[in-house]
Amino acid sequence: MARAATTSDAFNAIAEPQRREILVLLRGGERPVNDLARSLGMTQPQASKHLRVLREVGLVRVRGAGKQRLYGLDAHGLRPVHEWLGGFERFWSGSFDRLDEYVQDLKQARREESPDGDDQ
């Protein structure tokens, strides 16, 4: 049953670390399966299985080029992941903004305590 879940959506597909690595490699452009397998230290059949899952959820596209099949990133499939992560990005940005304000307040307090550096 867990195997079926990996093909249901982008979230499940990218939960597998080797699939994420494939997506990272494909950011640089299209690549044949043998090249991907070699870069990841896996067999061609293993790489093909991962590519099939990524293709089924819309994260990877494939095109024929002579005798080769070239795989490329289809970033549109990552939109649901990006949108979901957006809420966390806003959370972290707010946290960093508050941290920056706190640091600026500490610096200002130190300057007020010791304007000439004599009170250290």
Side-chain angles (χ1 to χ4, degrees):
M1 190 124 51
R3 170 136 350 250
T6 63
T7 62
S8 64
D9 63 24
F11 292 95
N12 287 316
I14 65 172
E16 210 291 322
Q18 290 180 315
R19 291 190 197 122
R20 291 193 305 270
E21 285 298 315
I22 289 171
L23 295 176
V24 168
L25 290 171
L26 292 178
R27 282 190 313 204
E30 293 180 323
R31 295 173 77 165
V33 66
N34 287 331
D35 187 28
L36 291 167
R38 188 171 31 259
S39 294
L40 296 169
M42 64 175 66
T43 66
Q44 182 273 328
Q46 290 171 319
S48 291
K49 286 179 184 179
H50 287 304
L51 286 164
R52 187 191 80 237
V53 170
L54 292 169
R55 196 175 65 245
E56 287 175 357
V57 299
L59 297 176
V60 168
R61 65 185 184 295
V62 62
R63 72 175 181 90
K67 292 183 180 183
Q68 281 191 332
R69 293 171 49 136
L70 297 177
Y71 293 86
L73 180 65
D74 189 349
H76 294 294
L78 289 171
R79 182 173 296 282
V81 175
H82 176 73
E83 290 171 355
W84 182 77
L85 285 172
F88 295 98
E89 184 177 336
R90 286 186 292 279
F91 168 79
W92 282 110
S93 292
S95 295
F96 288 132
D97 290 345
R98 287 189 301 278
L99 179 60
D100 186 50
E101 288 174 24
Y102 178 71
V103 169
Q104 295 306 320
D105 289 346
L106 286 176
K107 286 180 180 179
Q108 183 62 35
R110 281 191 176 173
R111 283 192 292 267
E112 290 172 1
E113 287 177 8
S114 176
D116 298 322
D118 294 334
D119 295 333
Q120 291 183 9

